[in-house]
Amino acid sequence: MGLTAPVLAVDAGNSKTDVAVVAADGTVLATARGGGFRPQAVGVRAAVDAVAEAVDRAFAAAGVTSVDQVSACLANADFPVEEERLAAAIEARGWGGAVRVRNDTFAILRAGIPEPRGVAVVCGAGINCVGMRPDGRTARFPAIGRISGDWGGGWGLAEEALWHAARGEDGRGEATELSRALPAHFGHPTMLALIEALHLEHIAHARRYELTPVLFATAAAGDGVARALVDRLAHEVVAMATVALTRLDLLTEETPVLLGGGVLAARHPQLDDGVRDLLAIRAPKAVPRVVQASPVLGAALLGLDLVEADREAQERLRGFFPG
């Protein structure tokens, strides 16, 4: 019969999966990294298979065969029914006793706060926001794109930049430097040439993400259209944070608002200043800061919360995942 550890932490995103086996005193016994987690694309079973490969390696390195708690923060777990399905699939693997599945945004939130109290807005490929209180109350959004009212994220910004650049070149819209900068990034002379290349898939669909940094660089150089898009994103980030704070009755209390994901963590000055200035108006008690720590730290801390680990254990864990 094998040994048992208190917590298996899983942070599974679209591009990669990180897992950690953690002792009750916060010592990290082993870590492993696996592939992306995309249940919508490959199905739940195949998605969990990708996690299982990393878990097997971590268990072997830690010398354990099971855990007391599985704390899994997973991309694409956007509705309770999805969390339930994913939890059932993980339970079937027999990794441990209790299984708790949350959206991966909760991992970023918990990674940046000393207790489960605060709000996080994540802007990476997409945009999402969650909040939590120590009493278990949470606030969240479906965050599955335009049908759930979302605007922003790296993909959305790239699409908006392309839209404005196309109209700027052909005269339907305001002239913008984006009409030159976007095609130039891919080695094309005009937006018309870039549009043709994208339409005929001479440029891989996923490479549109590369245009988000181009948008921010164009905004930093003073282009009005690009700057307006960055300002709009700042308003969206603050709108989500303010709603979450209000739902949790935290708007009038000093509360951390964590900013994470590739777009916000990049600390673009216009976006960073815009978010902080707007928060100061709409949620003056909010304390914004950027989270740089690995999200698997947040998943592990959520697991330690379940086993009621003390503050010393949490600090030991944080020392392993500096950020």
Side-chain angles (χ1 to χ4, degrees):
M1 191 167 179
L3 297 176
T4 297
V7 174
L8 168 65
V10 179
D11 172 66
N14 287 299
S15 60
K16 63 178 175 59
T17 295
D18 284 321
V19 304
V21 181
V22 182
D25 67 353
T27 300
V28 177
L29 304 177
T31 63
R33 173 164 288 185
F37 184 78
R38 298 181 293 273
Q40 276 84 344
V42 302
V44 169
R45 182 173 181 175
V48 175
D49 282 344
V51 176
E53 190 274 333
V55 171
D56 289 345
R57 285 190 283 114
F59 273 11
V64 305
T65 56
S66 64
V67 293
D68 296 325
Q69 298 280 348
V70 179
S71 174
C73 295
L74 310 177
N76 305 303
D78 299 306
F79 288 91
V81 65
E82 293 173 317
E83 292 176 341
E84 292 167 7
R85 289 171 183 167
L86 292 167
I90 290 173
E91 286 170 357
R93 300 293 171 136
W95 294 331
V99 175
R100 179 67 188 274
V101 169
R102 300 175 175 87
N103 181 270
D104 58 342
T105 308
F106 281 101
I108 293 176
L109 171 57
R110 187 65 181 90
I113 52 179
E115 61 175 347
R117 178 182 175 278
V119 166
V121 181
V122 178
C123 188
I127 190 167
N128 200 356
C129 175
V130 299
M132 60 169 52
R133 294 186 63 120
D135 62 8
R137 292 169 58 193
T138 62
R140 60 189 298 181
F141 299 84
I144 54 174
R146 290 188 64 84
I147 66 170
S148 59
D150 307 326
W151 188 92
W155 185 261
L157 289 173
E159 290 285 292
E160 288 288 331
L162 285 165
W163 189 87
H164 283 283
R167 294 172 67 86
E169 180 174 272
D170 68 21
R172 287 176 294 170
E174 182 179 346
T176 170
E177 180 63 13
L178 291 169
S179 300
R180 183 205 63 79
L182 299 191
H185 174 76
F186 290 115
H188 288 283
T190 64
M191 273 303 298
L192 182 59
L194 175 57
I195 292 163
E196 179 179 343
L198 291 170
H199 175 66
L200 298 177
E201 298 185 351
H202 296 159
I203 298 172
H205 195 68
R207 291 193 65 195
R208 297 185 192 195
Y209 285 115
E210 297 175 21
L211 296 177
T212 302
V214 179
L215 166 65
F216 279 100
T218 306
D223 181 77
V225 171
R227 290 187 65 83
L229 289 175
V230 175
D231 285 342
R232 183 179 174 187
L233 179 59
H235 279 273
E236 190 69 16
V237 168
V238 172
M240 296 185 91
T242 303
V243 169
L245 289 165
T246 302
R247 289 179 182 173
L248 293 173
D249 299 316
L250 291 172
L251 193 60
T252 59
E253 301 179 19
E254 188 171 294
T255 305
V257 172
L258 288 303
L259 307 172
V263 174
L264 288 170
R267 304 296 297 267
H268 299 288
Q270 182 190 347
L271 178 60
D272 206 44
D273 291 346
V275 168
R276 292 169 192 277
D277 291 346
L278 288 166
L279 275 175
I281 296 168
R282 298 191 58 184
K285 292 286 189 178
V287 182
R289 65 175 181 272
V290 173
V291 180
Q292 301 284 2
S294 171
V296 74
L297 166 63
L301 285 168
L302 288 166
L304 288 183
D305 291 341
L306 294 172
V307 300
E308 299 181 348
D310 59 23
R311 184 59 60 87
E312 184 177 343
Q314 296 186 28
E315 291 306 313
R316 183 174 290 110
L317 179 62
R318 286 187 182 279
F320 187 89
F321 295 104

